[in-house]
Amino acid sequence: LAVASGRAQVQQEPFLETTEGSSITIKCSHPNIRTGDWIHFYRQLPGQSPELVAVTAKGSKDVKAPEGRLSMSADRRSSSLWLRRPGRGDAAVYYCALGP
């Protein structure tokens, strides 16, 4: 998935899968990130609107639902959302986006 909005572009793997209860890492590349930009991870469950999972501008932070961790690389050019034990209820389309 590549999403372009003016100058910003983020890239993700087009498809990932895991077995229930096995951790997974969703990676996002954003080489043109600028000062003031934050990375937002969303997920869209089948038949529902997108929901915000986590946001960060730097470092790492724990995520409560779904349980995991959002991490930003030191150079801020990439980020990843690690899900500890995803279940069937976490099967969704996951998006990353740059924004203020």
Side-chain angles (χ1 to χ4, degrees):
L1 174 69
V3 180
S5 58
R7 60 163 178 83
Q9 186 175 38
V10 298
Q11 295 181 332
Q12 295 175 255
E13 297 103 334
F15 181 80
L16 290 173
E17 68 177 13
T18 187
T19 56
E20 187 174 4
S22 297
S23 67
I24 191 169
T25 301
I26 302 166
K27 298 178 182 177
C28 182
S29 173
H30 31 84
N32 297 324
I33 192 169
R34 292 186 181 177
T35 302
D37 283 340
W38 291 60
I39 193 73
H40 302 69
F41 269 87
Y42 295 87
R43 72 174 179 178
Q44 187 169 16
L45 298 164
Q48 297 186 25
S49 298
E51 61 178 338
L52 183 64
V53 173
V55 178
T56 192
K58 63 179 180 178
S60 298
K61 65 185 294 184
D62 289 333
V63 177
K64 293 182 180 180
E67 183 184 5
R69 189 159 187 83
L70 173 58
S71 301
M72 176 87 76
S73 65
D75 65 6
R76 295 185 8 105
R77 294 168 56 90
S78 64
S79 56
S80 61
L81 177 65
W82 174 74
L83 304 181
R84 183 183 303 276
R85 288 185 301 269
R88 281 180 290 177
D90 297 312
V93 178
Y94 288 79
Y95 302 93
C96 65
L98 284 175

